[in-house]
Amino acid sequence: MMGGERQTVIVEGTGFTVHRKGSAVEVYRTTPELMPRLSVVFARAETAIRQATGCAVVPGTLVGDAALMKAALDCRSPDM
Protein backbone atom coordinates (compact mmCIF):
# COMPACT_ATOMS: atom_id res chain seq x y z
CA MET A 1 0.00 0.00 0.00
CA MET A 2 2.67 2.45 -1.07
CA GLY A 3 1.62 6.03 -0.44
CA GLY A 4 -1.14 5.06 1.96
CA GLU A 5 -1.68 5.88 5.62
CA ARG A 6 -0.29 3.57 8.32
CA GLN A 7 -1.39 3.21 11.93
CA THR A 8 -0.60 0.75 14.72
CA VAL A 9 -3.46 -0.45 16.95
CA ILE A 10 -3.68 -2.93 19.84
CA VAL A 11 -6.99 -4.72 20.40
CA GLU A 12 -7.35 -7.03 23.42
CA GLY A 13 -3.59 -7.63 23.48
CA THR A 14 -3.23 -8.30 19.76
CA GLY A 15 -1.19 -5.77 17.77
CA PHE A 16 -2.08 -4.78 14.23
CA THR A 17 -0.62 -2.44 11.65
CA VAL A 18 -3.39 -1.01 9.49
CA HIS A 19 -2.44 0.31 6.05
CA ARG A 20 -5.11 2.38 4.30
CA LYS A 21 -5.22 3.68 0.77
CA GLY A 22 -8.56 5.16 -0.22
CA SER A 23 -11.31 2.69 0.57
CA ALA A 24 -8.97 -0.31 0.86
CA VAL A 25 -7.07 -1.59 3.91
CA GLU A 26 -4.44 -4.22 4.60
CA VAL A 27 -4.04 -5.34 8.18
CA TYR A 28 -0.97 -7.14 9.51
CA ARG A 29 -1.05 -8.92 12.87
CA THR A 30 2.19 -7.93 14.58
CA THR A 31 2.10 -9.89 17.84
CA PRO A 32 3.09 -13.55 17.99
CA GLU A 33 0.32 -15.90 19.13
CA LEU A 34 0.44 -19.67 19.28
CA MET A 35 -2.28 -21.09 17.03
CA PRO A 36 -4.68 -18.13 17.15
CA ARG A 37 -8.32 -18.81 16.30
CA LEU A 38 -9.09 -17.20 12.96
CA SER A 39 -12.51 -15.99 14.11
CA VAL A 40 -10.92 -14.15 17.04
CA VAL A 41 -8.17 -12.63 14.89
CA PHE A 42 -10.71 -11.43 12.29
CA ALA A 43 -12.97 -9.90 14.95
CA ARG A 44 -10.02 -8.06 16.51
CA ALA A 45 -8.77 -6.99 13.06
CA GLU A 46 -12.17 -5.50 12.25
CA THR A 47 -12.07 -3.55 15.52
CA ALA A 48 -8.54 -2.37 14.70
CA ILE A 49 -9.72 -1.19 11.27
CA ARG A 50 -12.56 0.81 12.83
CA GLN A 51 -10.22 2.38 15.39
CA ALA A 52 -7.55 3.25 12.82
CA THR A 53 -9.82 4.57 10.07
CA GLY A 54 -13.09 5.58 11.70
CA CYS A 55 -14.83 3.53 9.00
CA ALA A 56 -16.80 0.30 8.96
CA VAL A 57 -15.71 -2.76 7.03
CA VAL A 58 -17.95 -3.56 4.05
CA PRO A 59 -19.67 -6.84 5.00
CA GLY A 60 -18.10 -9.87 3.33
CA THR A 61 -14.87 -8.11 2.29
CA LEU A 62 -12.60 -9.02 5.22
CA VAL A 63 -10.45 -11.83 3.82
CA GLY A 64 -7.06 -13.33 4.51
CA ASP A 65 -5.38 -15.41 7.17
CA ALA A 66 -4.18 -14.97 10.76
CA ALA A 67 -1.24 -12.80 9.67
CA LEU A 68 -2.55 -10.63 6.79
CA MET A 69 -6.08 -9.49 6.08
CA LYS A 70 -7.59 -7.18 3.46
CA ALA A 71 -10.93 -5.39 3.41
CA ALA A 72 -12.95 -2.63 1.80
CA LEU A 73 -14.10 0.35 3.86
CA ASP A 74 -17.50 1.99 4.15
CA CYS A 75 -16.79 5.53 5.32
CA ARG A 76 -20.27 6.93 4.84
CA SER A 77 -21.69 8.95 7.66
CA PRO A 78 -24.09 6.94 9.86
CA ASP A 79 -26.74 9.55 8.98
CA MET A 80 -26.67 8.60 5.28
Side-chain angles (χ1 to χ4, degrees):
M1 296 225 124
M2 298 277 294
E5 302 169 26
R6 177 179 168 248
Q7 192 168 3
T8 301
V9 179
I10 297 176
V11 177
E12 297 179 35
T14 302
F16 296 95
T17 300
V18 180
H19 295 266
R20 176 185 182 179
K21 190 166 187 181
S23 63
V25 291
E26 287 184 355
V27 183
Y28 299 87
R29 185 173 53 87
T30 57
T31 53
E33 296 177 34
L34 184 60
M35 302 203 35
R37 288 193 358 225
L38 198 54
S39 61
V40 172
V41 173
F42 270 48
R44 290 177 182 172
E46 186 167 352
T47 300
I49 291 167
R50 285 181 176 270
Q51 288 179 7
T53 67
C55 300
V57 172
V58 174
T61 66
L62 184 61
V63 296
D65 56 35
L68 168 64
M69 291 135 280
K70 297 180 180 185
L73 298 175
D74 179 358
C75 296
R76 294 179 293 170
S77 166
D79 297 329
M80 295 180 120

